[in-house]
Amino acid sequence: MTIRAVVWGENIHERTNEVVAGIYPEGMHATIANALKLDPEISVSWATLEQKEHGLPADRLAETDVLLWWGHKDHGAVVDEVVERVARRVWEGMGLIVLHSGHFSKIFKKLMGTPCTLKWREAGERERLWVTSPNHPIAAGLGEYFELENEEMYGEQFAVPEPLETVFISWFQGGEVFRSGLTYRRGAGNIFYFRPGHETYPTYHDANVQKVLRNAVKWAHNPLGSNPAILDAPNVPVEKALEPIVERGGKLHSAGEAGFR
């Protein structure tokens, strides 16, 4: 069975900015999706902000193995109900790949629990991405490093939790460095943050970037499938304790009653 990926794109800059439209005439989401389609193990579709429920209704998310998220101009327009829906699917086991300015997206900040702030500069600098975990599946097929001739600078401090793994560290022409490829696990879901992808540069046309995205989808996919029970908080009756016990003391809840949330 193929990995079912959905590329979510804000799709604002492509429709309002001539530079971005010239680089991504079909939208960044389409370019990313087309790159993923090069791998026969990945089936891909896309969704955008302006669609009903932002293209992410519950039934579609239930059939999504890995969601890729690109946003920048209007993070606030993403309704909280959809954010909560996506978070629940990640906790259940859906993979999530957060791209470039998605560090400020509602979903990433919710899952990280931190401000996710950073330094930045839009000057078309050369970016050199060093592979710091060469044996990691996301880095498969890459050399020691690869370069992007023009990119937006992101610099430390990146206010995120300590990651499980740091796969890439970027150096920029102005001298700053940044942790550009970070992995996390939230609940049963694998998360990868990948920095490159400013909309005024042709980053998603780059062969190395496309390779990273395909590798990341395979890494983020949970072959065990969804685990909705992770969201349960069952009230276990005394009579179902693994060892015999005698109930003592006062109680807030009656048998079978749900706990406070």
Side-chain angles (χ1 to χ4, degrees), residues 236-245:
V236 181
V238 170
E239 61 271 16
K240 291 190 176 181
L242 296 178
E243 303 291 341
I245 58 173

Side-chain angles (χ1 to χ4, degrees), residues 78-139:
V78 180
V79 299
D80 293 342
E81 181 182 353
V82 172
V83 175
E84 184 66 26
R85 185 183 299 160
V86 173
R88 289 174 64 90
R89 281 291 294 125
V90 173
W91 294 330
E92 291 175 351
M94 182 184 73
L96 178 66
I97 299 171
V98 177
L99 303 172
H100 192 61
S101 287
H103 69 280
F104 263 168
S105 64
K106 286 182 178 181
I107 183 59
F108 191 63
K109 289 196 291 186
K110 178 179 180 67
L111 292 169
M112 294 298 103
T114 56
C116 302
T117 49
L118 46 81
K119 296 176 184 176
W120 64 280
R121 179 173 55 241
E122 191 179 18
E125 300 170 55
R126 181 181 304 113
E127 177 180 5
R128 183 176 297 138
L129 291 103
W130 288 95
V131 179
T132 54
S133 297
N135 294 323
H136 197 284
I138 294 176

Side-chain angles (χ1 to χ4, degrees), residues 35-56:
L36 299 180
K37 288 178 182 178
L38 296 176
D39 192 317
E41 296 182 29
I42 303 172
S43 65
V44 61
S45 60
W46 62 71
T48 55
L49 176 67
E50 73 273 13
Q51 295 173 333
K52 183 180 179 181
E53 299 183 80
H54 309 318
L56 300 174

